[in-house]
Every structure is written in C-alpha cells, then in structure tokens.
Coordinates of all heavy atoms in Angstrom, one line a residue:
P1 N 85.2 94.4 90.6 CA 83.9 94.2 91.3 C 83.6 95.3 92.3 O 82.4 95.5 92.6 CB 84.2 92.8 92.1 CG 85.2 92.1 91.2 CD 86.1 93.2 90.6
S2 N 84.6 95.9 92.9 CA 84.4 97.0 93.8 C 84.6 98.3 93.1 O 85.8 98.6 92.8 CB 85.2 96.9 95.1 OG 85.2 98.1 95.8
A3 N 83.6 99.1 92.9 CA 83.8 100.4 92.3 C 83.5 101.5 93.3 O 83.4 102.7 92.9 CB 82.9 100.6 91.1
N4 N 83.5 101.1 94.6 CA 83.2 102.1 95.6 C 84.4 103.0 95.8 O 85.6 102.5 95.7 CB 82.9 101.4 96.9 CG 81.6 100.6 96.9 OD1 80.7 101.0 96.2 ND2 81.5 99.5 97.6
R5 N 84.2 104.2 96.2 CA 85.3 105.1 96.4 C 86.0 104.7 97.8 O 85.3 104.2 98.7 CB 84.8 106.5 96.5 CG 84.3 107.1 95.2 CD 84.1 108.6 95.2 NE 85.4 109.2 95.4 CZ 86.2 109.5 94.3 NH1 85.9 109.1 93.1 NH2 87.4 110.1 94.6
H6 N 87.2 104.9 97.9 CA 87.9 104.5 99.1 C 89.1 105.5 99.3 O 89.4 106.3 98.5 CB 88.5 103.1 99.1 CG 89.5 102.9 98.0 ND1 90.8 103.3 98.1 CD2 89.5 102.3 96.8 CE1 91.5 102.9 97.1 NE2 90.7 102.3 96.2
D7 N 89.6 105.5 100.6 CA 90.7 106.5 100.9 C 92.0 105.8 101.1 O 92.9 106.4 101.7 CB 90.3 107.2 102.2 CG 90.2 106.3 103.4 OD1 90.2 105.1 103.3 OD2 90.1 106.9 104.5
F8 N 92.2 104.6 100.6 CA 93.5 103.9 100.7 C 94.5 104.5 99.8 O 94.3 104.8 98.7 CB 93.3 102.4 100.3 CG 92.8 101.6 101.4 CD1 91.4 101.6 101.8 CD2 93.6 100.7 102.2 CE1 90.9 100.8 102.8 CE2 93.1 99.9 103.2 CZ 91.8 100.0 103.5
V9 N 95.7 104.7 100.4 CA 96.9 105.2 99.7 C 97.7 104.0 99.2 O 97.9 103.1 100.0 CB 97.7 106.2 100.6 CG1 99.1 106.5 99.9 CG2 96.9 107.4 100.9
Y10 N 98.2 104.1 98.0 CA 99.0 103.0 97.5 C 100.3 103.0 98.1 O 101.1 104.0 98.0 CB 99.1 103.1 95.9 CG 99.7 102.0 95.3 CD1 99.1 100.7 95.2 CD2 101.0 102.1 94.6 CE1 99.7 99.6 94.6 CE2 101.6 101.0 94.0 CZ 100.9 99.8 94.0 OH 101.5 98.7 93.4
G11 N 100.7 101.9 98.8 CA 101.8 101.9 99.7 C 103.2 101.6 99.1 O 103.9 100.7 99.6
L12 N 103.6 102.3 98.0 CA 104.9 102.2 97.5 C 105.7 103.4 97.9 O 105.6 104.5 97.4 CB 104.9 102.1 96.0 CG 106.2 101.6 95.3 CD1 106.5 100.2 95.6 CD2 106.1 101.8 93.8
P13 N 106.5 103.2 99.0 CA 107.2 104.4 99.6 C 108.1 105.1 98.6 O 108.2 106.4 98.8 CB 108.1 103.7 100.7 CG 107.3 102.5 101.0 CD 106.8 102.0 99.7
E14 N 108.7 104.5 97.6 CA 109.6 105.2 96.7 C 108.9 106.3 95.9 O 109.6 107.2 95.5 CB 110.2 104.1 95.8 CG 111.2 103.2 96.4 CD 110.7 102.1 97.2 OE1 109.4 102.0 97.3 OE2 111.4 101.3 97.8
I15 N 107.6 106.3 95.8 CA 106.9 107.4 95.1 C 105.8 108.0 95.9 O 105.3 109.1 95.6 CB 106.3 106.9 93.8 CG1 105.3 105.8 93.9 CG2 107.4 106.5 92.8 CD1 104.5 105.4 92.7
N16 N 105.4 107.4 97.0 CA 104.2 107.9 97.8 C 104.5 108.1 99.3 O 103.6 108.1 100.1 CB 103.0 106.9 97.7 CG 102.4 107.0 96.3 OD1 102.4 108.0 95.6 ND2 101.7 105.9 95.9
R17 N 105.8 108.3 99.6 CA 106.1 108.4 101.1 C 105.4 109.4 101.8 O 104.9 109.2 102.9 CB 107.7 108.6 101.2 CG 108.2 108.6 102.6 CD 109.7 108.7 102.7 NE 110.3 107.4 102.3 CZ 110.9 107.2 101.2 NH1 110.9 108.1 100.2 NH2 111.4 106.0 100.9
E18 N 105.3 110.6 101.2 CA 104.6 111.7 101.9 C 103.1 111.4 102.1 O 102.5 111.8 103.2 CB 104.8 113.0 101.1 CG 106.2 113.5 101.2 CD 106.3 114.9 100.4 OE1 105.3 115.4 100.0 OE2 107.5 115.4 100.3
R19 N 102.5 110.8 101.1 CA 101.0 110.5 101.3 C 100.9 109.4 102.3 O 99.9 109.4 103.0 CB 100.5 110.0 99.9 CG 100.4 111.1 98.9 CD 99.8 110.6 97.6 NE 98.4 110.2 97.8 CZ 97.9 109.2 97.1 NH1 98.5 108.5 96.2 NH2 96.6 108.9 97.3
I20 N 101.8 108.4 102.3 CA 101.7 107.3 103.3 C 101.8 107.9 104.7 O 101.1 107.4 105.6 CB 102.8 106.3 103.0 CG1 102.6 105.5 101.7 CG2 102.9 105.2 104.1 CD1 103.8 104.8 101.2
A21 N 102.7 108.8 104.9 CA 102.9 109.4 106.2 C 101.6 110.0 106.8 O 101.4 110.1 108.0 CB 104.0 110.4 106.2
K22 N 100.7 110.5 105.9 CA 99.5 111.1 106.4 C 98.3 110.2 106.3 O 97.2 110.6 106.7 CB 99.2 112.4 105.5 CG 100.3 113.4 105.5 CD 100.0 114.5 104.5 CE 101.2 115.6 104.5 NZ 100.9 116.6 103.5
A23 N 98.5 109.0 105.8 CA 97.4 108.1 105.5 C 96.8 107.4 106.8 O 97.5 107.1 107.7 CB 97.8 107.0 104.5
R24 N 95.5 107.1 106.7 CA 94.9 106.3 107.7 C 94.8 104.8 107.2 O 94.8 103.9 108.0 CB 93.5 106.8 108.0 CG 92.8 106.2 109.2 CD 91.6 107.0 109.7 NE 90.6 107.1 108.7 CZ 89.5 106.3 108.6 NH1 89.3 105.4 109.5 NH2 88.6 106.5 107.7
H25 N 94.7 104.7 105.9 CA 94.5 103.4 105.3 C 95.6 103.3 104.2 O 95.7 104.2 103.3 CB 93.1 103.2 104.7 CG 92.0 103.2 105.7 ND1 90.8 103.6 105.4 CD2 92.0 102.9 107.1 CE1 90.0 103.5 106.5 NE2 90.8 103.1 107.5
V26 N 96.3 102.2 104.1 CA 97.3 101.9 103.1 C 97.1 100.6 102.4 O 96.8 99.6 103.1 CB 98.7 102.0 103.7 CG1 99.8 101.4 102.7 CG2 99.1 103.4 104.1
A27 N 97.1 100.6 101.1 CA 97.0 99.4 100.3 C 98.4 98.9 99.9 O 99.1 99.6 99.2 CB 96.2 99.6 99.1
N28 N 98.9 97.8 100.5 CA 100.2 97.4 100.2 C 100.3 96.8 98.8 O 99.4 96.1 98.3 CB 100.6 96.2 101.2 CG 102.0 96.3 101.6 OD1 102.5 97.2 102.1 ND2 102.7 95.1 101.4
P29 N 101.4 97.2 98.0 CA 101.5 96.7 96.6 C 101.6 95.2 96.5 O 102.1 94.6 97.4 CB 102.7 97.5 96.1 CG 102.9 98.7 97.0 CD 102.4 98.2 98.4
G30 N 101.3 94.7 95.3 CA 101.5 93.3 95.0 C 103.0 93.0 94.9 O 103.8 93.9 94.6
C31 N 103.4 91.7 95.0 CA 104.8 91.4 94.9 C 105.4 91.6 93.5 O 106.4 92.2 93.4 CB 105.0 89.9 95.4 SG 103.9 88.7 94.6
F32 N 104.8 91.0 92.5 CA 105.3 91.2 91.1 C 105.2 92.7 90.8 O 106.2 93.3 90.2 CB 104.4 90.5 90.1 CG 104.8 89.1 89.8 CD1 103.9 88.1 89.8 CD2 106.1 88.8 89.4 CE1 104.2 86.8 89.5 CE2 106.5 87.5 89.1 CZ 105.6 86.5 89.1
A33 N 104.2 93.4 91.2 CA 104.0 94.8 90.9 C 105.2 95.6 91.5 O 105.7 96.5 90.9 CB 102.7 95.3 91.5
T34 N 105.5 95.3 92.8 CA 106.6 96.0 93.4 C 107.9 95.9 92.7 O 108.6 96.8 92.3 CB 106.8 95.5 94.9 OG1 105.6 95.8 95.6 CG2 108.0 96.2 95.5

C-alpha cells in the first residue's frame, strides 16, 4: 500500500550494523523473519 520512498534502514545488525550506526530511522525486523 505504501510505495513512497523512505530512508529507513533494515535493522538486522548481523548484516546491516554499519548502516544502522549511521541511520536516523530504523525498521526493526519481524520476529519470524529474524
């Protein structure tokens, strides 16, 4: 439903730690997904 661009970084530290460290907005992963 939302096709708008956004600046959220996907918050899985095991693969995105460096991006999370610089992020202003973080999208926390889902439980099953994690």
Side-chain angles (χ1 to χ4, degrees):
S2 167
N4 295 327
R5 296 194 64 81
H6 64 75
D7 65 348
F8 278 76
V9 171
Y10 188 66
L12 192 69
E14 287 77 4
I15 59 171
N16 286 334
R17 185 174 286 102
E18 291 183 5
R19 294 182 62 211
I20 293 165
K22 300 174 183 177
R24 190 165 64 95
H25 299 153
V26 166
N28 216 57
C31 52
F32 270 133
T34 296

